[in-house]
Amino acid sequence: MTENHALPLYVQTAERLIREINAGRLLDGERLPPERDMAQDLGISVGTLRKALADLTDKGMLDRVQGSGNYVRHSPDATSVYAFFRLELVDGGGLPTATILSVDRLEKPNDLPDFGASRYGFRIRRLRRLGGVPAAVEEIWLDGAAKDQLITEDLSESLYLYYRDQLGLWITRAEDSVGVGHVPDWAPEAFPAVPGSVCGYVERLSWAQTGDNIEYSRTWFDSDKVRHITRMK
Amino acid sequence: MTENHALPLYVQTAERLIREINAGRLLDGERLPPERDMAQDLGISVGTLRKALADLTDKGMLDRVQGSGNYVRHSPDATSVYAFFRLELVDGGGLPTATILSVDRLEKPNDLPDFGASRYGFRIRRLRRLGGVPAAVEEIWLDGAAKDQLITEDLSESLYLYYRDQLGLWITRAEDSVGVGHVPDWAPEAFPAVPGSVCGYVERLSWAQTGDNIEYSRTWFDSDKVRHITRMK
DNA sequence: AGGAATTTGTGCGTATGTATC
DNA sequence: AGATACATACGCACAAATTCC
């Protein structure tokens, strides 16, 4: 009995191309070789390659132009659903940055929803800024199974990039639940809203390409300055 | 010169199946015939049919189960982006209903964002319930160019169905902006939150399949009972 | 301007794998 | 275990859009 646990060839191919693009070996705007040539180089049929390319197109990482060619689109976050879920200043604009407040490995508290396989999780608390202005405080729970240790210095400004580059995980599905909350008591003084006061509140569950539900996060945002935006197509 | 203005066969096939489903000739949960049989009936190849079925799956109108069959899913709004943007009771469950409070044709006020072509718009105010419980009040602005007149009796519970069946428009893109607001002074007494008190707030811009930005809406929801949910894949 | 070459899009057929019944 | 049905993969022919000479 010859069991085949490998992913379908077109999925492997799509992921391979995504890695090439993310690693910068395929640049933004670059035109790929003709499909027939690519397929031959990869040792697969044109149809299989086309299915992989269609996947990338869906993800917004590729433009396919009949009669012309396939063109790479590599905007920094086009690969993530986070491109569609984000905080924005009411006035618009403002570069996002984040300061880590704390990182701890803890047993998951009971008030967290079920997510991930481990009893433990990493709790990351951050202060997020938009254009330098403190905009939100955030508590992220990363499932303990994702990594043994997590060192503050390792974490990049973008957790998405950290997941992808250090853990080999990327978020492909997310579910947001938005309402009104109260600023948590651990919010730093830099955050203008007083602990306990009313503010916007987002809960998010995120799933990686593996299908695992690896992350749960809560964000409290200053509703006077910030909006939570979603675009759907 | 014989120009061919027809859409691709797989698109025609997908649209044909969508019409069959919307017309109720294919019922929810119904299993389609095997792909080979269907393809033969339709006079097309299996590959072409599969492409059409994949389209329907993307749209959430079909479940494809290997080894079993293709199953129709006909939830009333599965075809709309509104399937992904919605209010839910914190406790879960609850059928959505809506009561029209007022319908007026007005000049668009200045505090509305730019949307649609007309100077005028229809303002629809509704009280929305979930499982009978008043959950939100809503003000919807439909661009005046969409219709000459709008009669309260014409409006169905689901504005989405009204747009689709009466106006020939369906929403294919939307952008939500969520924050904290204050209950408007026109909120009916049935709505439990007091006018002026703090509540959840959603602004939405919606685009039809024509590419036109036809609708702008504002929703104030009772944050104690209701959450605004978004799912993204 | 126009035609040839290139490149992706569409459509068909077939063989084999894998999940379900 | 066998039959059924969808999933994957390959290859080919022609159409349509673009590019280049």
Side-chain angles (χ1 to χ4, degrees), chain A residues 64-78:
Chain A
R64 313 189 63 187
V65 185
Q66 181 176 172
S68 178
N70 294 309
Y71 300 87
V72 173
R73 268 205 312 183
H74 185 32
S75 56
D77 51 5

Side-chain angles (χ1 to χ4, degrees), chain A residues 148-203:
Chain A
D148 290 335
Q149 269 195 313
L150 213 84
I151 300 166
T152 309
E153 288 72 34
D154 289 351
L155 297 172
S156 67
E157 286 273 311
S158 162
L159 275 180
Y160 160 65
L161 289 178
Y162 176 78
Y163 293 164
R164 198 192 68 191
D165 298 338
Q166 304 300 317
L167 305 183
L169 296 169
W170 54 93
I171 304 299
T172 58
R173 190 160 74 90
E175 184 177 316
D176 271 16
S177 165
V178 182
V180 174
H182 298 275
V183 178
D185 54 17
W186 51 264
E189 288 191 17
F191 191 69
V194 185
S197 65
V198 170
C199 68
Y201 174 69
V202 187
E203 270 188 322

Side-chain angles (χ1 to χ4, degrees), chain A residues 17-143:
Chain A
L17 290 170
I18 289 173
R19 283 198 305 276
E20 300 267 320
I21 291 171
N22 286 337
R25 284 192 290 277
L26 295 173
L27 299 179
D28 188 41
E30 184 170 342
R31 189 183 122 171
L32 298 180
E35 292 176 353
R36 281 168 183 76
D37 298 355
M38 268 185 91
Q40 192 156 25
D41 290 347
L42 294 167
I44 63 178
S45 77
V46 177
T48 301
L49 173 61
R50 283 178 63 81
K51 205 160 176 183
L53 295 175
D55 264 23
L56 265 69
T57 306
D58 279 348
K59 292 186 165 59
M61 302 178 69
L62 195 67
D63 286 326
R64 313 189 63 187
V65 185
Q66 181 176 172
S68 178
N70 294 309
Y71 300 87
V72 173
R73 268 205 312 183
H74 185 32
S75 56
D77 51 5
T79 55
S80 168
V81 288
Y82 290 162
F84 300 99
F85 284 134
R86 64 169 177 282
L87 295 177
E88 265 183 18
L89 289 174
V90 173
D91 309 328
L95 278 180
T97 55
T99 311
I100 307 271
L101 302 174
S102 68
V103 179
D104 296 289
R105 187 169 187 276
L106 301 168
E107 206 160 336
K108 289 176 186 168
N110 290 328
D111 64 327
L112 259 53
D114 266 339
F115 79 100
S118 172
R119 277 203 314 145
Y120 295 91
F122 293 100
R123 188 189 69 188
I124 303 160
R125 286 176 167 171
R126 307 196 302 176
L127 172 64
R128 293 180 57 184
R129 292 188 173 82
L130 286 171
V133 181
V137 288
E138 192 169 49
E139 182 176 287
I140 298 150
W141 286 85
L142 175 65
D143 183 52

Side-chain angles (χ1 to χ4, degrees), chain B residues 1-210:
Chain B
M1 169 116 37
T2 61
E3 288 188 50
N4 183 6
H5 290 291
L7 289 168
L9 195 46
Y10 72 89
V11 176
Q12 292 180 45
T13 306
E15 292 185 350
R16 177 170 171 174
L17 291 171
I18 289 173
R19 281 197 306 275
E20 300 267 320
I21 292 171
N22 285 336
R25 283 192 291 277
L26 295 173
L27 299 179
D28 189 41
E30 184 170 342
R31 189 181 123 173
L32 298 180
E35 292 177 349
R36 278 172 184 74
D37 299 355
M38 265 184 94
Q40 192 156 25
D41 289 348
L42 294 166
I44 62 178
S45 77
V46 177
T48 301
L49 172 61
R50 283 179 62 80
K51 209 163 173 180
L53 295 176
D55 263 24
L56 264 69
T57 306
D58 279 349
K59 290 184 165 58
M61 303 178 69
L62 197 66
D63 285 327
R64 313 188 66 187
V65 185
Q66 181 175 174
S68 178
N70 294 310
Y71 299 87
V72 173
R73 268 203 313 182
H74 185 32
S75 55
D77 51 6
T79 54
S80 164
V81 289
Y82 290 161
F84 300 100
F85 286 133
R86 65 169 177 281
L87 294 178
E88 266 182 17
L89 289 175
V90 172
D91 309 328
L95 279 180
T97 54
T99 311
I100 306 270
L101 301 173
S102 68
V103 178
D104 297 287
R105 187 169 189 277
L106 302 168
E107 205 159 337
K108 289 176 187 168
N110 290 327
D111 64 328
L112 260 52
D114 267 339
F115 80 101
S118 171
R119 276 204 314 147
Y120 295 90
F122 293 100
R123 188 190 67 187
I124 303 160
R125 286 177 168 170
R126 306 197 302 175
L127 172 64
R128 293 179 57 185
R129 291 187 173 84
L130 286 171
V133 181
V137 288
E138 193 169 50
E139 182 176 287
I140 299 150
W141 287 85
L142 175 64
D143 185 51
K147 198 162 170 55
D148 289 337
Q149 268 195 314
L150 212 83
I151 300 167
T152 310
E153 288 70 34
D154 289 352
L155 297 172
S156 68
E157 287 274 310
S158 163
L159 276 180
Y160 160 65
L161 289 179
Y162 176 78
Y163 292 164
R164 197 192 69 189
D165 298 338
Q166 303 301 316
L167 306 183
L169 295 169
W170 54 92
I171 303 300
T172 58
R173 191 158 74 89
E175 183 176 318
D176 271 16
S177 166
V178 182
V180 174
H182 298 275
V183 178
D185 54 17
W186 52 265
E189 289 190 16
F191 191 69
V194 184
S197 66
V198 170
C199 67
Y201 175 70
V202 188
E203 271 187 322
R204 172 178 295 159
L205 282 166
S206 304
W207 288 259
Q209 88 280 8
T210 55

